[in-house]
Amino acid sequence: MGARASEAPYFSEDVALLMSLADVFSHVLENLHLQERKLEQEHRAQELSLHASRSELKALRAQINPHFLFNALNSIAGLIHRDPAVTVSVALPLLRQEPRAQQPQEIAR
């Protein structure tokens, strides 16, 4: 320790107080560090949860799209037998459309 401004000697109580303050500050710094790590872990957990939800949504879309196509084609096949001219005039423009690009959708929580 350096000299005091008043040149008064250090007493054992002064040293004990300084050591106690240093101990308190070290605990405060450690607590702040642990809180920061906890926030980082929570943020990472949220990111993983969002990624899992998006993956699940993508998997569900992959299952739904073939079923939708199958049902649509079955409906067209059934309508062709009833009224071929109307079915062709309605279905052909729909089938000629380019598939829409699927935009990723956010999952509301």
Side-chain angles (χ1 to χ4, degrees):
M1 285 192 263
R4 285 186 168 182
S6 65
E7 296 188 18
Y10 285 106
F11 296 107
S12 60
E13 294 88 19
D14 295 332
V15 173
L17 177 63
L18 290 174
M19 291 180 69
S20 177
L21 286 173
D23 191 43
V24 167
F25 285 132
S26 71
H27 282 67
V28 168
L29 288 174
E30 183 179 355
N31 189 8
L32 289 173
H33 178 70
L34 291 174
Q35 287 178 0
E36 183 180 358
R37 282 184 48 200
K38 180 182 175 189
L39 288 174
E40 288 171 359
Q41 287 175 349
E42 288 173 354
H43 180 70
R44 179 73 177 142
Q46 287 177 345
E47 286 178 350
L48 290 174
S49 176
L50 180 61
H51 182 68
S53 297
R54 285 181 178 164
S55 296
E56 184 179 350
L57 182 60
K58 187 176 180 181
L60 288 173
R61 278 192 188 127
Q63 291 175 359
I64 290 173
N65 286 342
H67 291 287
F68 175 77
L69 181 61
F70 177 79
N71 290 338
L73 291 175
N74 267 346
S75 297
I76 291 171
L79 290 174
I80 286 178
H81 295 296
R82 288 191 209 155
D83 194 349
V86 171
T87 303
V88 170
S89 67
V90 171
L92 280 180
L94 294 174
L95 293 174
R96 287 185 182 140
Q97 289 180 358
E98 291 184 28
R100 290 179 291 174
Q102 291 184 354
Q103 299 295 324
Q105 297 176 353
E106 293 294 323
I107 299 173
R109 296 239 169 205

